[in-house]
Amino acid sequence: MKRSRVNVIRVFRSPLDHRRGRLEAGNLVIPCALGRSGTRHAKREGDGASPVGRFGILQAFYRPDRGPRPRTGLPIRPIRPGDGWSDDVKDRRYNRLVPLPCPTGHEKMWRDDHLYDVVLDIAWNRGPIVKGRGSAIFLHLARPGFLPTEGCVAVDKRMIRRLLERIGPKTRIEIVG
């Protein structure tokens, strides 16, 4: 059965715990983890908040050694061991994919903890990029117990493929404050 694409994925913060929420993509409703500081309109680098607003989803990444290529309408590419993401405000490549080794601050995309086995690049602070407004805001896999993220949205690994099937190039993600 072919699933239709959704126009908007909405993320709602829980009234009981600002670090958790629910993600709605059409009739798919799943729990999610949010940033350790909840959600924030004025997102800054390192504040631990998930940004409030409506954003595009630029592309997906996946670890080819941890499962087959997911089905999605997004551009998708495998994560390689030499992939990083710049989070250093002094780097001219701030908030972009960078090759490793990288002399400036960055995070590794090829992780041992499985969080980035599947990653969606949320278009936060991407056009134009403003240094210090936050970097590496993704939709990725959740830690056990839905522990908070550093500012991303995270879902259970059993649900990510169902979600990806519903996402296309025109899908937006709206993080509600």
Side-chain angles (χ1 to χ4, degrees):
M1 175 175 103
K2 182 178 178 182
R3 290 191 166 94
S4 61
R5 309 268 191 244
V6 295
N7 292 325
V8 179
I9 296 168
R10 287 190 174 84
V11 177
F12 298 94
R13 183 181 63 202
S14 167
L16 303 175
D17 184 347
H18 66 274
R19 301 166 305 166
R20 290 188 180 195
R22 77 179 187 282
L23 182 147
E24 297 179 0
N27 63 358
L28 181 66
V29 179
I30 55 179
C32 64
L34 299 171
R36 69 178 188 279
S37 300
T39 58
R40 190 169 291 162
H41 289 276
K43 168 97 183 108
R44 304 297 301 164
E45 186 69 44
D47 67 3
S50 300
V52 171
R54 185 181 276 212
F55 315 104
I57 303 171
L58 300 177
Q59 64 182 327
F61 300 93
Y62 73 102
R63 285 274 304 259
D65 61 322
R66 296 209 172 136
R69 178 186 171 151
R71 291 184 183 155
T72 184
L74 291 171
I76 187 165
R77 98 167 201 29
I79 296 171
R80 298 177 189 109
D83 287 340
W85 199 274
S86 174
D87 59 9
D88 189 331
V89 295
K90 297 176 195 138
D91 187 351
R92 63 179 171 75
R93 301 164 302 174
Y94 175 71
N95 200 21
R96 292 187 184 97
L97 190 67
V98 294
L100 300 179
C102 178
T104 59
H106 62 277
E107 60 178 276
K108 294 178 181 178
M109 297 293 287
W110 188 274
R111 297 173 62 128
D112 293 331
D113 62 10
H114 295 276
L115 296 186
Y116 287 3
D117 287 0
V118 179
V119 177
L120 280 71
D121 179 8
I122 297 174
W124 167 255
N125 191 23
R126 295 300 291 280
I129 293 173
V130 178
K131 292 185 178 189
R133 288 219 44 220
S135 62
I137 302 300
F138 301 133
L139 191 156
H140 61 71
L141 302 183
R143 289 183 173 89
F146 289 94
L147 294 175
T149 70
E150 295 300 313
C152 298
V153 176
V155 299
D156 187 271
K157 74 177 194 174
R158 294 170 295 186
M159 301 304 292
I160 193 76
R161 291 184 188 275
R162 289 181 61 197
L163 178 62
L164 277 168
E165 290 174 350
R166 291 169 165 79
I167 298 174
K170 295 181 181 179
T171 302
R172 302 291 175 257
I173 185 166
E174 180 178 9
I175 301 172
V176 179

